[in-house]
């Protein structure tokens, strides 16, 4: 049977080629796609997430681990789709209107994928109405908004307002984050959740989706 511990370790080291080979070996040996995802790929990304939170690894290591995970997912995706894998939750993520920064958003998106969540990335400069439209279209559990500029933070309040105007507040939770964002700002705009880093954001998102 293919070694899931080795798969997790290769992923943590960002060895995409080895990850792909081991995933293929596991599939060929008859191991279930969901099992490979949980015990190999997600296990590795969870360790990277913890290390990132504890400042033991940094953005470049997270990026190469995520790239290795994507290499493994190329093989698993069609198998997971065919097997009707249970959706763990869907997140619509984007940087708010007027803000073009995306490194933090991309990291959060990767960490959320690393928890097995479906992530719809809307990119940057996203108006409130689009967050709501995409949340409805994708039956999302969460809208995650990022901002790096103090001048664009107020747009997060507009996203919360748009969610309420669409009567979605009971179905869709609004998560916010970014360098200038704080817990007290979250309370001011009425968002559901604020997290200080990407790894915590992913953990909180999974919890929200589990309790949805």
């Amino acid at each position: 049977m293919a070694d899931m511990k080795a798969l997790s370790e290769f992923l943590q080291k960002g060895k995409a080629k080895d990850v792909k080979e081991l995933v293929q070996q596991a599939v060929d040996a008859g191991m279930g796609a969901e099992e490979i995802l949980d015990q190999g790929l997600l296990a590795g990304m969870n360790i990277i997430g913890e290390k990132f939170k504890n400042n033991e690894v940094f953005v470049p290591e997270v990026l190469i681990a995520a790239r290795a995970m994507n290499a493994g997912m190329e093989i698993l995706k069609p198998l997971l789709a065919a097997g009707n894998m249970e959706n763990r939750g869907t997140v619509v993520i984007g940087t708010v209107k007027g803000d073009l920064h995306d490194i933090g958003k991309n990291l959060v998106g990767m960490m959320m994928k690393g928890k097995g969540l479906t992530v719809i990335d809307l990119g940057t400069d996203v108006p409130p109405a689009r967050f709501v439209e995409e949340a409805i279209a994708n039956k999302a559990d969460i809208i995650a908004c990022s901002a790096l500029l103090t001048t664009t933070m107020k747009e997060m309040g507009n996203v919360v307002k748009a969610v309420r105007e669409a009567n979605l507040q009971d179905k869709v939770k609004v998560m916010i984050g970014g360098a200038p964002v704080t817990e007290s700002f979250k309370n001011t705009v009425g968002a559901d959740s604020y997290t200080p880093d990407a790894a915590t954001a992913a953990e909180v998102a999974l919890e929200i989706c589990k309790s949805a």
Side-chain angles (χ1 to χ4, degrees):
M1 213 47 159
D3 186 346
M4 290 298 104
K5 189 166 182 288
L7 178 55
S8 163
E9 282 166 8
F10 279 140
L11 182 140
Q12 291 169 53
K13 290 173 184 162
K15 295 183 182 292
K17 191 167 162 283
D18 295 316
V19 165
K20 209 166 183 177
E21 279 171 16
L22 268 189
V23 168
Q24 192 61 61
Q25 279 173 29
V27 170
D28 294 343
M31 198 170 178
E34 211 163 326
E35 206 179 338
I36 300 166
L37 177 66
D38 279 339
Q39 292 176 22
L41 301 181
L42 296 186
M45 275 309 282
N46 280 338
I47 292 168
I48 284 287
E50 274 305 308
K51 286 184 172 176
F52 181 67
K53 209 160 72 171
N54 298 328
N55 292 322
E56 291 167 38
V57 298
F58 301 96
V59 173
E61 288 95 333
V62 175
L63 294 177
I64 61 164
R67 203 174 298 143
M69 178 168 166
N70 288 338
M73 284 303 289
E74 278 172 31
I75 297 166
L76 292 184
K77 253 185 192 153
L79 301 171
L80 291 166
N84 293 323
M85 178 188 165
E86 178 202 354
N87 181 16
R88 294 177 184 190
T90 301
V91 182
V92 167
I93 191 170
T95 306
V96 294
K97 187 179 167 190
D99 203 321
L100 300 174
H101 295 90
D102 66 355
I103 293 173
K105 168 189 69 66
N106 294 348
L107 261 182
V108 171
M110 281 173 199
M111 292 286 190
M112 287 177 172
K113 282 181 189 168
K115 291 288 183 191
L117 299 171
T118 301
V119 177
I120 316 290
D121 190 343
L122 306 182
T124 60
D125 193 20
V126 183
R130 178 134 189 263
F131 276 114
V132 170
E133 282 160 19
E134 294 291 341
I136 293 167
N138 293 285
K139 298 187 170 64
D141 303 283
I142 296 167
I143 289 173
C145 307
S146 167
L148 194 70
L149 306 172
T150 48
T151 49
T152 58
M153 279 167 64
K154 64 179 187 305
E155 284 297 329
M156 292 174 164
N158 293 336
V159 174
V160 172
K161 206 164 130 196
V163 167
R164 285 182 183 154
E165 283 169 359
N167 280 325
L168 289 177
Q169 65 270 28
D170 295 332
K171 292 180 185 164
V172 182
K173 300 296 178 198
V174 179
M175 292 182 69
I176 63 172
V181 183
T182 60
E183 184 71 25
S184 65
F185 179 75
K186 177 210 89 171
N187 296 334
T188 305
V189 296
D192 297 290
S193 169
Y194 155 73
T195 48
D197 60 74
T200 312
E203 286 165 12
V204 169
L206 185 61
E207 284 308 311
I208 290 171
C209 291
K210 275 183 185 168
S211 60

